[in-house]
Amino acid sequence: MSQLSYREAVNGALIQEMERDDRVFVYGCDVADHKRIYGSTTDLVERFGPERCFSTPISEDAMTGMGLGAAISGLRPIHVHIRVDFLLLAMNQLANMISTARYMSGGDLSVPMVIRAVVGRGWGQSAQHSKSLHSVFAHLPGIRVVAPTTPNDVKGLMSAAIRDDNPVVMLEHRWLYDTVGEVDEGDAVVPLGKARVVRAGTDLTIVATSWMVVEALRAADLLAERGVSVEVIDPRTLAPLDEESIVASVQKTRHCIVADNDWSFCGFGAEVAAMVSERCFGQLGAAVSRVGWAFVPCPTTRCLENEFYPNANDLVRAAERSLGLDAMDLSGFDFYTYENRFKGPF
Amino acid sequence: MSQLSYREAVNGALIQEMERDDRVFVYGCDVADHKRIYGSTTDLVERFGPERCFSTPISEDAMTGMGLGAAISGLRPIHVHIRVDFLLLAMNQLANMISTARYMSGGDLSVPMVIRAVVGRGWGQSAQHSKSLHSVFAHLPGIRVVAPTTPNDVKGLMSAAIRDDNPVVMLEHRWLYDTVGEVDEGDAVVPLGKARVVRAGTDLTIVATSWMVVEALRAADLLAERGVSVEVIDPRTLAPLDEESIVASVQKTRHCIVADNDWSFCGFGAEVAAMVSERCFGQLGAAVSRVGWAFVPCPTTRCLENEFYPNANDLVRAAERSLGLDAMDLSGFDFYTYENRFKGPF
Amino acid sequence: MTARAQALTLYESLLLIRRAEEKIQAHYAEDDMKTPVHLYIGQEAVAAGVVNGLDPADPIVGTYRSHGIYLARTDDPEGFFAELYGRVGGPAKGKAGSMHMARPQDGLFLTSAVVATTIPVALGLAFTQQYRKTGRSVAAFFGDGAMDEGVFWESLNFACLKRLPVLFVCEDNGLAIHTPSVARRGYKSVADAVGGFDCHFVESESTDPAEISDLTRDALARQREDGRPVFMRLRCYRYVEHVGPREDRDFHLGYRREEEFEYWRARDPVRCQRERLIKLGVPEAEVAALETKIDERLSRCVAEAQKAPFPEPEELHRDVLA
Amino acid sequence: MTARAQALTLYESLLLIRRAEEKIQAHYAEDDMKTPVHLYIGQEAVAAGVVNGLDPADPIVGTYRSHGIYLARTDDPEGFFAELYGRVGGPAKGKAGSMHMARPQDGLFLTSAVVATTIPVALGLAFTQQYRKTGRSVAAFFGDGAMDEGVFWESLNFACLKRLPVLFVCEDNGLAIHTPSVARRGYKSVADAVGGFDCHFVESESTDPAEISDLTRDALARQREDGRPVFMRLRCYRYVEHVGPREDRDFHLGYRREEEFEYWRARDPVRCQRERLIKLGVPEAEVAALETKIDERLSRCVAEAQKAPFPEPEELHRDVLA
Ligand SMILES: Cc1ncc(C[n+]2csc(CCOP(=O)(O)OP(=O)(O)O)c2C)c(N)n1
Ligand SMILES: Cc1ncc(C[n+]2csc(CCOP(=O)(O)OP(=O)(O)O)c2C)c(N)n1
Ligand SMILES: [Mg+2]
Ligand SMILES: [Mg+2]
């Protein structure tokens, strides 16, 4: 075990897998400049040379198709995007090509490709640098979607994704980059498709994705103060979804909130809520509720941005509604801590 | 009232609105060739000239941005795609630009633009010509999504969409083009954001989109034979969704099936199921269930394609499960009628 | 190979394509090939010539109009018809149909029904060749319409930048569905537009597959010499409608002219190649025998495909993920 | 306008941009401008010159690096700073921030943080001018990096095809973040790559806004004469880091060279313009007075923005749909 930041864990996984397997290469806008995608691609050029780690022109569509071509001919590309929003330019390759190539070839081809993209808040990122899009990717058969929230998970899931013979979209939240945690030594892999119970509890289940796991844990702390025991589940892999772990938890707690790092409407939160409502029908003490972004484009000014993003406060309130409790006094509690730590310009 | 086909109704709406308003123009790949997008753009060049109806290069991304530019400077563009799958090339303009332009300008700009796209089965359309993507568009704040299923609705909603000051994505199912129905005379507009009760019933609600409305009506006929009264609701506008009409229906019937013309996972069906489960909590006789496409890319060969697409048979079975009924005998009933009428090559 | 042997090989390739598609024309109305067909009749010299000029191990990608490259590369009309009829014996067990016809084991990796979408895939295939130093080159076939798409320019740019071993094979039949190139192009000529990029450029309107094969071999040599990719603009003409089996003589609609049709018909690749064989001294009987052999083979392919089994329903859920 | 008046106007425009951004540099560390800033310092001659050459009613679009065109076109540093500080007095009430700074009422319709995405929007603005026969032209500002994107080529193609009144203004600072153009371009030169298209081409590395203004006027005249759009490649240099307030002297990292920096610094648009004024006989005192006026105005803008009200929470839900 060692203590690593999320950024170091990503970087460690890349180095480890590139050492293990010379088919792996990393490319994308600015992966090889000195900023190294918030430090996550540090040392790759130095260790593996410019053939295996190179910056590209700003041509997301072609570069995505290029990854597909490399993957079906025996390499294992890792395509990096400093913002998931840029993948909107690559949706055709993703949805029409990458996700269908295996099926359309009757199983002849496989597409061992990883697409890494950073999501989440930064410094006034505004409407074009703030999407998450995981429900869009997850909606497509033939693609896996992963959103790890701890250093250990990102290391283990990155390794698993790189070794997997399928296309995997890996979403990394910007604000998680500086979080530090224990990481398993060696080449321990975290299996794709398995949720993690982040905190055990008995009264209410919060299924949380990405940064919302952090908020869910804070909400759980607050609710514990008044004797409410919250179970927090991080699906980690969003597609395919580990339904069993979620259902087992909700069958125990009889209450469920889905806290998704995205808009709720037609989102991943809707999927989890629909699935839990169906599979736990008759076993629920209250309706499954969803907590997500305000249904507006993300504004720049901080005061509105803080209204846009839900946080532990909203989760506490949703939990109280679910459990039929009075609203606890949260005045004096500062929900905006990380926001004040994170600095610009980006 | 007059009897029109869906295709004629689309065409009629376009002609009517172009006559009413000289800011309206129609463009896209092949809108002005002799096939005229399955006949839906017939007569436009002849009546309004090549300035107001023209074919474009195959450049979906730029052509979408061009529509945005025309819309914010006072025109009312209608951009046509013979397959919604091609809009994947325009996702960046849609999600990063069109849906955010008003918000990012603090309300200074409006984007009165209609994007028409054909969806649905044809003749072995395969994985790249068969998507629907409405949940993807609906997931984005700032865009309206409409999927009319009758000649009257498509005429009225098309008119409403053209007159609306917001971007509207209009999805037209290929197999509906030949259906015929009564269409209101004059410039009757069907309001955006209002669902329609297609068939009234008391025992079970089927919320159906696009072609699934046809299947739902057939299922309702079959179920009526055994005394089950089905209410079929067509949301018509998928975003913003008319939740009230759906909730009112389910509160009456206590049973709900969502039949969506799409994959279920993270789709529009999930949204409706989650919303109904939450808002009708404690009032349901059974879990809300979803019927959608098999979660695989769409295959070409007809025998698999028939397995891929659900139909009235699946809806009858889902209804029986919801109501706790034995499976009725459906042998001898031919669920594939339209499939055998529709001919190639496209 | 002698000129005679080469000519025979090319004739066989051309004829296989032409006759296979004539079979489609003959049977399509039976409605048992439940797949859109974008026929290649008229354009055969391009596929036959380029594929002949390539090394058999050079990877290829194509479009929805890829019957030609499929048959030229694979010599697998059996699988071809099985796929068209949606049978389990097709290369993709019927999942692909006409628009996605491919056979990776023969180097024909992918074809796609969305315009221009396999061009960047060719970059990746070429990247692998460069990475693995295989010495192979990759041919990306696409229509003139694909040049309207931004991804074409992104791909051309990247291939030139990285000196990837790519042959951009533009099958320029002058039409995208019914929209002629003049109505789609803001550049002076293809040569001008592509000419600014750091690649080789070759242009031809030959319908002689040997000439095209030579051009291809020459292009490959140039590409291998200095690493620069090659853009081949190969003008050609389709006699049939964009999609479907009918001959396209819709001259009254104005998007194609009869003189043009006749100009190309007079240089029909199949007929001209037959004449070349005769000129080269191949006995008429030998040519006829070859034709009969191909016809018989194709008839067998169709007959077998028609009675071959369809995939089982469980097949629906296979091949989604590895 | 006399040469002197024109020179003063241009100096004022340059200086407004330069000093406004220096204010950002001075205050950014206070962390109250909670928006990424992509400064324009060094490149001012392009915005000042082109905007001066345009008619004030000619529509404009730009990128996330658009402080220059905002200030040159709107003369609204008040709104500018309010927007940077996220206050309700900004043109978008704080919703836009630096990366989306625009003011449609002044013809600056849109700016965007996604590379190349406003270029096609310019097509639509130009289409409206053509449709309405306004006689106006549209300027699309974008960086050299935008030429990597396919949509640039699609847009260039369409504008040339339809003879849309577009000025493609490429602000070529040779870098996309830290990736120099040589590492991104597969074409021989911008002139070569664009040259194949049916447009006019202009190239300059001037830092003299009058020269750039003249080029622009000339370009507009040519465009109006034959309808062909114009591509202007305007070379320039940014002194600051890609994003953030710091001067970028990271020469040891290899993506930019000190000589280059010094070469451009020696031709600094603001300083040179000042020198030109003096040479034209404008008294030092008059110049200094102008400078003081601008400084004072900007200080007021900052002070006022700092104490202006933030939008109310309800503002979050406004402006989504019309
Ligand atoms: C991205 C995209 N847009 C539109 C279409 C519809 N479409 C199908 S074929 C075609 C024309 C393509 O012409 P070209 O590339 O010249 O190929 P050809 O059919 O002439 O071989 C178009 C526009 C498509 N398949 N993909
Ligand atoms: C589509 C897209 N891809 C990647 C990025 C990340 N990015 C932001 S700025 C930039 C460089 C753009 O360079 P250029 O167009 O030359 O503009 P400059 O910053 O030099 O003014 C990149 C790659 C982006 N914003 N949009
Ligand atoms: Mg063509
Ligand atoms: Mg630049």
Side-chain angles (χ1 to χ4, degrees):
Chain A
M1 289 283 221
S2 55
Q3 288 279 119
L4 293 181
S5 70
Y6 191 93
R7 137 187 315 109
E8 291 164 334
V10 172
N11 187 236
L14 295 175
I15 291 175
Q16 172 188 298
E17 297 305 312
M18 289 177 82
E19 269 172 356
R20 254 186 105 245
D21 187 344
D22 79 349
R23 296 171 301 175
V24 179
F25 69 97
V26 174
Y27 73 109
C29 283
D30 311 308
V31 297
D33 78 7
H34 59 285
K35 299 262 173 139
R36 304 284 162 100
I37 312 291
Y38 307 127
S40 68
T41 56
T42 299
D43 253 6
L44 303 187
V45 202
E46 290 73 9
R47 278 173 187 255
F48 305 105
E51 296 77 27
R52 294 185 64 194
C53 177
F54 54 91
S55 297
T56 67
I58 316 168
S59 309
E60 285 80 2
D61 191 357
M63 290 302 97
T64 306
M66 145 36 197
L68 170 58
I72 58 177
S73 54
L75 302 183
R76 302 181 91 82
I78 303 177
H79 191 191
V80 187
H81 300 266
I82 204 158
R83 274 285 156 190
V84 79
D85 308 66
F86 309 151
L87 267 171
L88 289 160
L89 287 157
M91 281 311 298
N92 180 60
Q93 283 293 329
L94 266 170
N96 277 332
M97 301 292 288
I98 288 178
S99 70
T100 68
R102 184 170 178 78
Y103 200 76
M104 284 295 106
S105 69
D108 279 352
L109 300 176
S110 62
V111 186
M113 173 169 183
V114 175
I115 297 175
R116 288 182 49 204
V118 179
V119 302
R121 295 182 74 167
W123 184 255
Q125 289 288 309
S126 194
Q128 297 178 333
H129 283 58
S130 55
K131 291 180 205 67
S132 184
L133 299 178
H134 48 278
S135 70
V136 174
F137 306 133
H139 184 55
L140 303 167
I143 290 189
R144 299 190 199 268
V145 184
V146 181
T149 58
T150 66
N152 194 54
D153 279 351
V154 81
K155 171 129 191 290
L157 283 163
M158 185 74 77
S159 300
I162 297 169
R163 297 182 198 182
D164 193 67
D165 282 332
N166 299 293
V168 181
V169 177
M170 165 86 50
L171 301 175
E172 305 162 15
H173 194 287
R174 178 75 181 88
W175 276 7
L176 292 170
Y177 263 64
D178 295 311
T179 56
V180 174
E182 296 278 313
V183 174
D184 293 333
E185 303 279 356
D187 69 350
V189 158
V190 173
L192 296 166
K194 281 271 149 242
R196 187 165 60 90
V197 178
V198 182
R199 173 183 176 128
T202 52
D203 299 333
L204 171 87
T205 301
I206 302 184
V207 180
T209 62
S210 193
W211 180 261
M212 291 309 285
V213 173
V214 176
E215 300 293 341
L217 290 172
R218 302 185 72 211
D221 280 343
L222 287 165
L223 287 159
E225 286 176 22
R226 63 186 296 187
V228 176
S229 161
V230 175
E231 179 146 307
V232 177
I233 297 199
D234 178 357
R236 306 194 289 190
T237 302
L238 309 183
L241 179 62
D242 178 1
E243 296 189 9
E244 302 313 319
S245 298
I246 296 171
V247 168
S249 171
V250 180
Q251 280 172 340
K252 180 177 66 180
T253 63
R254 302 179 57 250
H255 294 83
C256 178
I257 295 170
V258 190
D260 189 24
N261 181 53
D262 196 0
W263 295 299
S264 293
F265 194 78
C266 289
F268 179 76
E271 176 58 39
V272 176
M275 183 276 289
V276 168
S277 298
E278 181 168 4
R279 294 198 49 187
C280 301
F281 186 76
Q283 301 169 288
L284 291 168
V288 181
S289 64
R290 290 179 272 168
V291 173
W293 303 341
F295 198 50
V296 307
C298 179
T300 301
T301 184
R302 178 69 58 88
C303 61
L304 296 183
E305 205 190 20
N306 283 345
E307 298 290 320
F308 176 82
Y309 288 107
N311 60 23
N313 180 55
D314 304 277
L315 293 178
V316 170
R317 296 305 177 217
E320 288 164 346
R321 278 192 301 279
S322 179
L323 296 165
L325 301 173
D326 294 339
M328 68 190 284
D329 180 17
L330 292 171
S331 62
F333 188 84
D334 184 7
F335 287 98
Y336 301 102
T337 52
Y338 195 80
E339 292 82 325
N340 299 333
R341 232 168 29 234
F342 190 93
K343 293 288 177 259
F346 217 75
Chain B
M1 290 284 220
S2 56
Q3 289 278 119
L4 293 180
S5 71
Y6 192 93
R7 139 187 314 109
E8 289 163 336
V10 172
N11 187 235
L14 295 175
I15 290 175
Q16 171 188 296
E17 297 305 312
M18 289 177 82
E19 268 171 358
R20 253 185 107 249
D21 188 344
D22 79 347
R23 298 171 298 176
V24 179
F25 69 97
V26 174
Y27 71 110
C29 284
D30 310 309
V31 297
D33 77 7
H34 59 286
K35 299 263 174 138
R36 304 285 162 99
I37 312 291
Y38 306 128
S40 67
T41 57
T42 299
D43 253 6
L44 303 187
V45 202
E46 289 74 7
R47 279 174 187 255
F48 305 106
E51 296 75 29
R52 295 185 64 195
C53 177
F54 54 91
S55 297
T56 68
I58 316 168
S59 308
E60 285 80 2
D61 192 357
M63 290 303 95
T64 306
M66 143 35 197
L68 171 58
I72 59 177
S73 54
L75 302 184
R76 302 182 91 82
I78 303 177
H79 191 191
V80 188
H81 300 266
I82 203 158
R83 274 284 157 192
V84 81
D85 308 68
F86 309 151
L87 268 170
L88 290 160
L89 287 156
M91 282 310 299
N92 180 61
Q93 284 293 328
L94 266 169
N96 277 330
M97 301 291 288
I98 289 178
S99 69
T100 68
R102 184 170 179 79
Y103 200 77
M104 284 295 105
S105 69
D108 279 352
L109 300 176
S110 61
V111 186
M113 174 171 182
V114 175
I115 297 175
R116 289 180 49 202
V118 178
V119 302
R121 295 182 74 168
W123 184 255
Q125 289 288 311
S126 194
Q128 296 178 333
H129 283 58
S130 55
K131 291 180 205 67
S132 184
L133 298 177
H134 48 278
S135 70
V136 174
F137 306 132
H139 184 55
L140 303 167
I143 290 189
R144 300 191 198 268
V145 184
V146 180
T149 58
T150 66
N152 194 54
D153 279 351
V154 82
K155 172 128 189 293
L157 284 163
M158 184 74 76
S159 300
I162 295 169
R163 296 182 198 182
D164 194 68
D165 282 332
N166 298 292
V168 181
V169 177
M170 165 85 51
L171 301 175
E172 306 160 15
H173 194 289
R174 179 75 182 90
W175 277 8
L176 292 171
Y177 263 65
D178 296 310
T179 57
V180 174
E182 297 278 312
V183 174
D184 293 333
E185 303 281 354
D187 69 349
V189 158
V190 173
L192 295 166
K194 282 272 148 238
R196 187 165 61 89
V197 178
V198 183
R199 172 183 176 130
T202 53
D203 300 332
L204 171 87
T205 301
I206 302 183
V207 181
T209 62
S210 193
W211 180 260
M212 290 311 284
V213 172
V214 176
E215 300 293 339
L217 289 172
R218 303 185 73 210
D221 281 343
L222 287 165
L223 286 159
E225 286 174 23
R226 64 186 297 184
V228 176
S229 162
V230 174
E231 180 145 306
V232 178
I233 297 199
D234 178 356
R236 305 192 292 193
T237 302
L238 309 183
L241 180 61
D242 178 1
E243 295 189 8
E244 302 315 318
S245 298
I246 296 170
V247 168
S249 172
V250 179
Q251 280 171 339
K252 179 176 69 178
T253 63
R254 303 178 56 251
H255 294 85
C256 179
I257 295 170
V258 190
D260 190 24
N261 182 52
D262 196 0
W263 295 297
S264 293
F265 194 77
C266 288
F268 178 77
E271 176 58 40
V272 175
M275 183 276 288
V276 169
S277 298
E278 181 168 5
R279 295 198 49 188
C280 301
F281 185 76
Q283 302 168 287
L284 291 168
V288 181
S289 64
R290 290 179 272 167
V291 173
W293 303 342
F295 199 49
V296 307
C298 180
T300 301
T301 185
R302 176 68 58 88
C303 59
L304 297 183
E305 205 190 21
N306 283 344
E307 298 289 322
F308 176 82
Y309 288 108
N311 60 23
N313 180 56
D314 303 279
L315 293 178
V316 170
R317 296 305 177 220
E320 288 163 346
R321 279 193 301 276
S322 180
L323 296 166
L325 301 173
D326 293 340
M328 68 189 284
D329 180 17
L330 293 171
S331 63
F333 188 83
D334 184 6
F335 287 98
Y336 301 103
T337 53
Y338 195 80
E339 293 83 325
N340 299 332
R341 232 165 33 232
F342 189 93
K343 293 288 177 259
F346 217 73
Chain C
M1 206 188 282
T2 64
R4 190 178 182 279
Q6 154 94 336
L8 268 167
T9 302
L10 288 170
Y11 184 58
E12 187 162 352
S13 185
L14 289 175
L15 200 69
L16 185 69
I17 303 170
R18 172 69 57 91
R19 292 284 163 90
E21 292 205 324
E22 286 171 354
K23 286 273 180 246
I24 296 173
Q25 292 183 311
H27 289 280
Y28 201 68
E30 294 159 13
D31 283 337
D32 285 334
M33 287 183 255
K34 293 180 172 30
T35 173
V37 286
H38 299 79
L39 300 188
Y40 198 62
I41 297 182
Q43 305 189 189
E44 295 91 343
V46 175
V50 174
V51 171
N52 184 273
L54 296 171
D55 186 276
D58 287 340
I60 301 180
V61 294
T63 71
Y64 51 87
R65 196 182 302 286
S66 285
H67 295 172
I69 54 176
Y70 186 91
L71 292 168
R73 171 54 73 86
T74 69
D75 189 40
D76 173 39
E78 290 76 15
F80 176 79
F81 278 104
E83 192 64 37
L84 290 179
Y85 277 98
R87 311 296 163 136
V88 75
K93 302 176 270 185
K95 286 175 177 170
S98 166
M99 300 199 294
H100 299 269
M101 191 79 74
R103 207 163 186 244
Q105 74 207 74
D106 290 329
L108 174 52
F109 273 86
L110 266 183
T111 63
S112 159
V114 182
V115 169
T117 47
T118 55
I119 303 176
V121 178
L123 300 180
L125 295 169
F127 181 83
T128 299
Q129 311 315 312
Q130 194 178 64
Y131 194 89
R132 290 295 188 211
K133 302 189 175 55
T134 65
R136 286 183 206 132
S137 301
V138 179
F141 288 79
F142 54 88
D144 50 301
M147 291 183 65
D148 299 359
E149 291 284 2
V151 75
F152 162 74
W153 300 95
E154 293 183 357
S155 300
L156 179 64
N157 183 57
F158 190 73
C160 293
L161 173 71
K162 293 282 179 186
R163 304 228 165 159
L164 292 175
V166 181
L167 254 59
F168 293 89
V169 184
C170 178
E171 307 188 88
D172 191 345
N173 59 15
L175 284 176
I177 308 191
H178 311 105
T179 308
S181 13
V182 291
R184 294 181 287 107
R185 290 183 180 166
Y187 38 86
K188 296 159 192 161
S189 72
V190 175
D192 281 317
V194 171
F197 286 80
D198 202 16
C199 61
H200 302 285
F201 182 82
V202 182
E203 197 160 20
S204 163
E205 61 157 58
S206 175
T207 56
D208 176 353
E211 218 174 282
I212 294 176
S213 175
D214 288 347
L215 278 180
T216 306
R217 249 183 285 268
D218 183 51
L220 286 174
R222 287 162 74 189
Q223 184 271 310
R224 278 163 194 164
E225 199 177 293
D226 66 7
R228 290 190 172 82
V230 184
F231 186 103
M232 303 180 76
R233 180 192 180 212
L234 301 178
R235 295 195 52 214
C236 51
Y237 199 79
R238 66 167 157 77
Y239 304 153
V240 279
E241 54 186 338
H242 169 71
V243 59
R246 203 174 47 85
E247 191 171 87
D248 182 354
R249 305 188 61 92
D250 288 342
F251 305 120
H252 61 289
L253 296 167
Y255 62 84
R256 50 165 39 188
R257 290 180 304 111
E258 182 155 19
E259 308 84 87
E260 217 175 39
F261 195 103
E262 296 310 336
Y263 171 76
W264 286 92
R265 183 77 105 187
R267 308 189 302 126
D268 180 77
V270 180
R271 196 179 32 71
C272 291
Q273 186 67 8
R274 191 181 206 282
E275 287 164 11
R276 265 178 227 112
L277 287 181
I278 304 295
K279 263 204 205 112
L280 279 167
V282 183
E284 170 71 38
E286 191 180 330
V287 177
L290 177 65
E291 289 163 350
T292 308
K293 189 188 82 180
I294 286 176
D295 279 345
E296 284 174 1
R297 184 177 179 194
L298 291 171
S299 297
R300 259 195 325 274
C301 290
V302 171
E304 266 161 38
Q306 283 170 331
K307 55 177 201 263
F310 286 108
E312 297 297 321
E314 307 81 67
E315 188 57 55
L316 179 71
H317 293 279
R318 289 198 195 115
D319 308 326
V320 181
L321 291 169
Chain D
M1 205 185 283
T2 64
R4 190 176 183 279
Q6 154 94 337
L8 268 166
T9 301
L10 288 171
Y11 183 58
E12 186 162 355
S13 185
L14 289 175
L15 199 67
L16 185 69
I17 302 169
R18 173 70 57 92
R19 292 285 164 90
E21 292 205 325
E22 285 170 354
K23 286 273 179 244
I24 296 173
Q25 290 184 313
H27 290 280
Y28 201 69
E30 294 159 12
D31 283 338
D32 285 334
M33 287 182 255
K34 293 180 171 32
T35 172
V37 287
H38 299 79
L39 299 189
Y40 198 63
I41 298 182
Q43 307 189 187
E44 296 91 344
V46 175
V50 174
V51 171
N52 184 271
L54 295 172
D55 186 278
D58 286 340
I60 300 181
V61 295
T63 71
Y64 50 88
R65 196 183 300 287
S66 284
H67 295 173
I69 54 175
Y70 186 92
L71 293 167
R73 171 53 73 87
T74 70
D75 189 40
D76 173 38
E78 290 76 14
F80 177 79
F81 277 104
E83 191 65 36
L84 291 178
Y85 277 98
R87 310 296 162 136
V88 75
K93 303 176 268 185
K95 286 174 176 170
S98 165
M99 300 199 293
H100 299 268
M101 190 79 74
R103 206 162 187 245
Q105 72 206 75
D106 290 329
L108 174 52
F109 274 86
L110 267 183
T111 63
S112 159
V114 181
V115 170
T117 47
T118 55
I119 304 176
V121 178
L123 300 181
L125 294 170
F127 180 83
T128 300
Q129 310 316 313
Q130 193 179 63
Y131 194 89
R132 290 294 186 212
K133 302 188 175 57
T134 64
R136 287 183 205 130
S137 300
V138 179
F141 289 79
F142 54 89
D144 50 301
M147 291 183 65
D148 299 0
E149 290 285 2
V151 75
F152 161 74
W153 300 94
E154 293 183 357
S155 301
L156 179 64
N157 183 57
F158 190 73
C160 294
L161 172 71
K162 294 281 180 187
R163 305 227 165 161
L164 292 175
V166 181
L167 254 59
F168 293 89
V169 184
C170 179
E171 308 188 87
D172 191 346
N173 61 13
L175 284 176
I177 308 190
H178 311 105
T179 307
S181 12
V182 290
R184 295 180 287 106
R185 290 182 179 168
Y187 38 86
K188 295 158 194 163
S189 72
V190 176
D192 281 318
V194 172
F197 286 80
D198 201 16
C199 61
H200 301 285
F201 182 81
V202 181
E203 198 161 19
S204 163
E205 60 158 57
S206 175
T207 56
D208 177 352
E211 215 174 285
I212 294 175
S213 175
D214 288 346
L215 279 180
T216 306
R217 250 183 283 269
D218 183 50
L220 286 174
R222 287 162 75 188
Q223 184 270 307
R224 277 163 195 164
E225 198 176 294
D226 66 6
R228 290 191 171 81
V230 184
F231 187 102
M232 304 180 75
R233 179 190 179 212
L234 300 179
R235 295 193 54 212
C236 52
Y237 199 79
R238 66 166 157 77
Y239 305 154
V240 278
E241 54 186 339
H242 168 71
V243 59
R246 204 174 47 83
E247 190 171 87
D248 182 354
R249 305 188 62 91
D250 287 342
F251 305 120
H252 61 289
L253 296 167
Y255 62 85
R256 50 166 37 188
R257 289 179 305 111
E258 182 154 17
E259 308 85 87
E260 218 174 37
F261 195 102
E262 296 311 337
Y263 170 77
W264 285 91
R265 183 77 103 187
R267 307 190 300 127
D268 180 78
V270 181
R271 195 177 35 68
C272 292
Q273 185 69 6
R274 191 181 204 284
E275 287 163 12
R276 264 177 228 114
L277 286 181
I278 304 295
K279 263 205 206 109
L280 280 167
V282 183
E284 170 71 36
E286 189 179 334
V287 177
L290 178 65
E291 289 163 349
T292 309
K293 188 189 83 179
I294 287 176
D295 279 343
E296 284 174 0
R297 182 176 181 196
L298 290 172
S299 298
R300 259 196 324 277
C301 290
V302 170
E304 266 160 39
Q306 282 170 332
K307 55 177 200 267
F310 286 108
E312 297 297 320
E314 308 80 67
E315 189 57 56
L316 180 70
H317 293 279
R318 289 196 197 118
D319 308 327
V320 181
L321 291 169

